[in-house]
Amino acid sequence: METRVSQYLLSIGVVILIAFNLQNCNAQTRFAQKTGTLAPDTGLSLEINKQVQAGRLDVQLYYPKSVHRFYQQNGFKPAWIKPQSETGPAWQTMLMLDCVLQFGLSHADYHPQELLYSRLHDILDTPGKVKPDLQARFDIILTDAVITLMNHLHYGKLNPEFLAGRIDKGVGNGFEAASYLYRALKEKDVMAAIAHVQPKAKEYTALQYQMHLLEGLYQGDCYEIPEEKVRKIAINMERLRWANTEDSVYVQINIPSYSLKLSLPDSTYQFKVIVGKPENPTPTLVSKIVYFTTAPEWKIPAKIFRQEVLPKALADNVYLENSHFAIYDHQGNYVEPLKINLANVKRNPDLYYARQSAGCDNALGLLVFRFPNVYDIYLHDTPEQKLFRQKERALSHGCIRVEQAEKLAALLLKNDGSATKIAALHNGVVKYLKQDIYLKKPVAIKITYLTCEIKEGEYITYNDIYNLDKSLEMALYGVDQPLSMR
């Protein structure tokens, strides 16, 4: 049901985009009202082939390899310079590029100085007025602009993992703009086909719909730099494009809201989390949870605890933290490493023991969720459950602590068709038995940094705890005076 709602909202957003564009875009769009009368020109294909193959363009393309792949697939025929009505693909696409602020993007990124309505009007409506080499040039630049737009809509403009050069080589997450454009040009509604490359996640769709509503209030020039709220939405749409996995089942941790969401096809579950301090920030990433480990920490032998760990902890107040040690009583209660508590432990050391974690936090608790990542961070249980009662929970060394870790693991096993493993999971947690429990199908995990979202139709903002909004807004819009920080 939620998937159908998301698709419906996306469709509504596209309709609003088209309606808004037709009514409010720059006055140049009046050129698009004429019917195309261009006759086919076989020499144009030869000119496109020559310019693409030899790289003779005097304009730098953003995705030259992708452009080359597209024209190879298209037999070097023109994509846009061909007979068409005022609703043809060239006019639709020019119109969409005019109003990319609808998607939180910048008009300056799509060759605005080259892609002029007057030039397209001369080419399409006045045969023979523009030389074939200039017609080919226009066709190629428009292709590059559309491929750039689609990559920005799908991957994001500033994706830290999928940089433009990597995407241009065809190394992405399964989406390849050149092939998609080749198919999209066969569709009647090219604008809708291009918009369809955006993430389908409910969080993104809700922000996109809100963006359309806000932009629909603007009048006049589409190139206008948007106001503060619109920019805030735009930078968070960009972040969601970075986390675009298209999975129907996923775990999403949002750092600023201190929350974890398990999204299943028929339901959603919410959990509280603790994230990294500003000096030890939790990174954003996309990976897959492969397995869980119960009793993940090494229990220090009693003799080593009494003779080595405890004396060093009393002599150095950061020894336990730096060594990833945590002290517990025999009921499993965590002992906060304060001097008064350590003095009590020293008086009766046999009533306590220590465990050492292999992660970035001192205590991984009873359960840890394993997912490959270059940062070597984990999602894990914690003995300090009282910390989840705090409103601000940027308290860890980078790893993520989750409340009700066993419940989350059980839900993942049930969804995995592995409900028979839940008993083993519980036994490992209760008896502190170390074991690895694998999922049949790894589940996507997205760690995001969203400072705003739409919840039940309401626009909600969160504290920018790592102060990341300013730099992203400046980079996304090419400005040195961010609005979102005012």
Side-chain angles (χ1 to χ4, degrees):
M1 177 66 183
E2 289 176 329
T3 301
R4 291 199 298 273
V5 170
S6 297
Q7 293 171 340
Y8 172 74
L9 286 176
L10 183 60
S11 299
I12 288 293
V14 171
V15 170
I16 290 174
L17 166 64
I18 295 170
F20 167 74
N21 283 344
L22 290 176
Q23 292 176 15
N24 295 328
C25 276
N26 191 281
Q28 295 178 86
T29 59
R30 289 197 296 270
F31 283 114
Q33 302 307 311
K34 294 185 177 290
T35 300
T37 58
L38 187 72
D41 186 346
T42 54
L44 191 53
S45 293
L46 295 174
E47 188 62 44
I48 289 174
N49 192 341
K50 183 170 66 174
Q51 292 189 30
V52 170
Q53 298 278 29
R56 294 183 179 179
L57 281 171
D58 58 353
V59 174
Q60 183 177 356
L61 300 181
Y62 298 121
Y63 290 89
K65 293 183 175 64
S66 301
V67 169
H68 187 271
R69 287 196 299 272
F70 168 78
Y71 281 109
Q72 272 191 321
Q73 196 168 0
N74 200 41
F76 291 95
K77 297 190 298 290
W80 318 98
I81 307 305
K82 51 190 176 182
Q84 58 193 278
S85 70
E86 70 275 7
T87 60
W91 296 117
Q92 285 190 48
T93 305
M94 290 281 285
L95 207 55
M96 194 168 191
L97 290 171
D98 251 5
C99 289
V100 292
L101 286 178
Q102 287 269 335
F103 301 99
L105 298 170
S106 174
H107 182 251
D109 291 327
Y110 308 101
H111 302 296
Q113 304 304 318
E114 303 293 334
L115 299 175
L116 304 176
Y117 282 97
S118 57
R119 196 166 300 170
L120 183 59
H121 165 66
D122 288 343
I123 294 171
L124 293 182
D125 296 344
T126 314
K129 185 174 182 178
V130 180
K131 294 178 181 179
D133 62 327
L134 296 179
Q135 293 184 33
R137 182 179 185 276
F138 191 97
D139 201 277
I140 294 166
I141 293 172
L142 182 51
T143 296
D144 185 57
V146 176
I147 285 175
T148 302
L149 174 60
M150 288 194 297
N151 282 329
H152 287 176
L153 289 174
H154 185 83
Y155 292 103
K157 175 183 173 181
L158 302 167
N159 193 315
E161 180 178 1
F162 294 107
L163 302 177
R166 182 180 179 188
I167 297 170
D168 197 27
K169 293 176 183 176
V171 183
N173 60 8
F175 173 77
E176 203 278 308
S179 298
Y180 185 92
L181 178 58
Y182 177 76
R183 297 190 300 271
L185 284 171
K186 301 179 187 303
E187 301 290 330
K188 184 177 180 180
D189 191 340
V190 177
M191 292 175 74
I194 294 172
H196 190 70
V197 307
Q198 296 178 95
K200 307 301 186 298
K202 294 183 285 292
E203 302 84 6
Y204 181 91
T205 303
L207 285 177
Q208 174 69 104
Y209 183 64
Q210 184 74 9
M211 176 73 86
H212 285 312
L213 293 179
L214 291 171
E215 288 283 4
L217 299 177
Y218 287 150
Q219 302 295 323
D221 198 331
C222 280
Y223 309 150
E224 177 184 340
I225 293 180
E227 63 177 20
E228 177 183 346
K229 184 176 179 181
V230 174
R231 285 202 198 178
K232 188 87 165 177
I233 292 174
I235 61 178
N236 286 286
M237 286 171 62
E238 170 74 4
R239 287 169 174 148
L240 282 168
R241 292 174 187 131
W242 302 349
N244 183 12
T245 62
E246 311 233 337
D247 294 277
S248 59
V249 175
Y250 58 88
V251 170
Q252 180 183 354
I253 295 149
N254 188 39
I255 296 166
S257 60
Y258 309 112
S259 64
L260 179 151
K261 177 173 69 176
L262 171 60
S263 182
L264 301 175
D266 58 350
S267 54
T268 300
Y269 296 88
Q270 299 284 345
F271 298 81
K272 293 180 180 179
V273 297
I274 292 166
V275 299
K277 307 169 187 176
E279 59 268 30
N280 300 109
T282 296
T284 59
L285 58 85
V286 175
S287 186
K288 288 185 179 292
I289 297 174
V290 179
Y291 66 99
F292 325 128
T293 301
T294 57
E297 300 164 319
W298 174 52
K299 187 173 181 180
I300 311 300
K303 183 177 180 181
I304 296 176
F305 173 63
R306 287 195 309 271
Q307 296 182 0
E308 296 183 29
V309 173
L310 194 53
K312 289 179 180 178
L314 287 164
D316 182 356
N317 61 1
V318 295
Y319 169 74
L320 293 176
E321 179 178 330
N322 291 340
S323 303
H324 300 294
F325 286 122
I327 297 175
Y328 302 83
D329 64 23
H330 286 297
Q331 286 72 48
N333 298 311
Y334 174 72
V335 177
E336 195 169 353
L338 303 175
K339 265 203 175 308
I340 188 172
N341 292 341
L342 294 176
N344 288 333
V345 172
K346 184 182 179 181
R347 281 194 287 271
N348 297 286
D350 292 338
L351 300 180
Y352 302 88
Y353 65 95
R355 296 205 300 254
Q356 184 179 40
S357 78
C360 57
D361 277 350
N362 292 67
L364 300 182
L366 301 171
L367 184 64
V368 63
F369 300 75
R370 306 286 188 181
F371 50 92
N373 66 90
V374 297
Y375 307 100
D376 198 27
I377 65 166
Y378 308 106
L379 172 66
H380 64 87
D381 177 39
T382 176
E384 297 183 275
Q385 292 291 309
K386 66 180 183 298
L387 296 178
F388 290 109
R389 294 195 292 269
Q390 297 185 22
K391 183 179 179 181
E392 305 294 328
R393 296 192 294 276
L395 306 168
S396 81
H397 289 80
C399 284
I400 303 149
R401 309 174 196 171
V402 60
E403 191 177 30
Q404 298 180 296
E406 186 181 350
K407 177 183 176 181
L408 174 60
L411 287 169
L412 288 170
L413 287 171
K414 184 177 179 182
N415 177 75
D416 190 53
S418 302
T420 54
K421 297 180 181 178
I422 294 176
L425 167 74
H426 182 68
N427 192 50
V429 167
V430 171
K431 296 182 179 179
Y432 203 76
L433 302 172
K434 186 171 184 178
Q435 59 183 331
D436 294 332
I437 301 174
Y438 283 81
L439 294 169
K440 295 176 185 175
K441 184 178 180 181
V443 173
I445 180 169
K446 312 176 188 184
I447 303 178
T448 58
Y449 190 88
L450 304 179
T451 53
C452 76
E453 65 177 327
I454 308 298
K455 297 185 77 171
E456 298 180 356
E458 183 181 357
Y459 173 73
I460 297 172
T461 61
Y462 304 110
N463 288 339
D464 182 10
I465 55 177
Y466 298 159
N467 296 314
L468 298 179
D469 278 4
K470 178 179 178 180
S471 57
L472 181 55
E473 181 185 339
M474 292 168 66
L476 195 61
Y477 285 104
V479 296
D480 53 12
Q481 182 57 48
L483 289 172
S484 61
M485 298 295 291
R486 290 181 184 173

